[in-house]
Amino acid sequence: MEIRGLLIPVPGDPVLLPSAVLVEVITYRSPTKIEGKPSWLLGMVEWRGVSVPTVSCEGLFGQLDQGAPAGTRIAILSGITAGLPFLALRTRGIPRFVSVKEGDLLASQDAPVLESQNTKTTLSKVYCPVKFSGKPAKILDLEVLGTLLSST
């Protein structure tokens, strides 16, 4: 069995998602900041007349946010949740499509649990560290991320 995946380059380990969630990759533009939000939520970016929340994966993964050097892009993702139809991830290049075959993906160590800064409620894990073709990667739980965004 083989499924199509999407490997998104971010600082540290790349993010692996189903290919069907990618809508478009756009040139980086600075998101409009939102006061009082967690540092991993960079703000909102306008895309096709819609304000889309933009996430820093390194901030989400508990790493120091390195900003947006040359080559930074924004990946627009769809189908997050009913209340959040789109989400933007800041990338360090262009995502690439990959084939994920049985045996290519292995579970790794446990991921940390994030808390909503507004409610201080501990949420389920937002990502799962894995080994994809022998190299570290992270799989985002888009449903949990959508819930996390809705509660901030």
Side-chain angles (χ1 to χ4, degrees):
M1 183 173 163
E2 179 177 302
I3 58 172
R4 296 288 291 162
L6 180 69
L7 207 55
I8 301 175
V10 297
D13 302 332
V15 170
L16 180 63
L17 293 173
S19 63
V21 300
L22 181 67
V23 176
E24 186 174 357
V25 177
I26 61 174
T27 303
Y28 183 77
R29 55 191 87 146
S30 293
T32 304
K33 300 258 185 237
I34 306 169
E35 294 299 319
K37 299 298 180 183
S39 60
W40 52 265
L41 178 55
L42 299 172
M44 304 297 275
V45 67
E46 287 297 316
W47 171 75
R48 297 186 181 194
V50 178
S51 287
V52 180
T54 306
V55 172
S56 158
C57 285
E58 59 261 46
L60 190 64
F61 300 154
Q63 303 166 351
L64 181 62
D65 191 311
Q66 301 172 11
T72 298
R73 305 266 195 284
I74 294 176
I76 306 291
L77 308 179
S78 72
I80 306 305
T81 64
L84 184 67
F86 299 103
L87 168 72
L89 293 181
R90 185 175 65 188
T91 74
R92 290 289 191 258
I94 299 172
R96 66 182 172 94
F97 292 101
V98 294
S99 293
V100 181
K101 299 174 191 149
E102 191 172 339
D104 283 347
L105 199 58
L106 300 171
S108 190
Q109 62 194 12
D110 286 339
V113 174
L114 289 180
E115 292 184 357
S116 166
Q117 288 191 352
N118 288 344
T119 63
K120 298 295 183 198
T121 302
T122 302
L123 299 175
S124 299
K125 295 176 184 171
V126 74
Y127 70 91
C128 177
V130 295
K131 295 276 185 181
F132 173 63
S133 295
K135 297 179 182 172
K138 291 182 173 77
I139 297 176
L140 285 179
D141 185 327
L142 296 177
E143 187 175 336
V144 170
L145 184 54
T147 301
L148 188 61
L149 284 165
S150 297
S151 69
T152 58

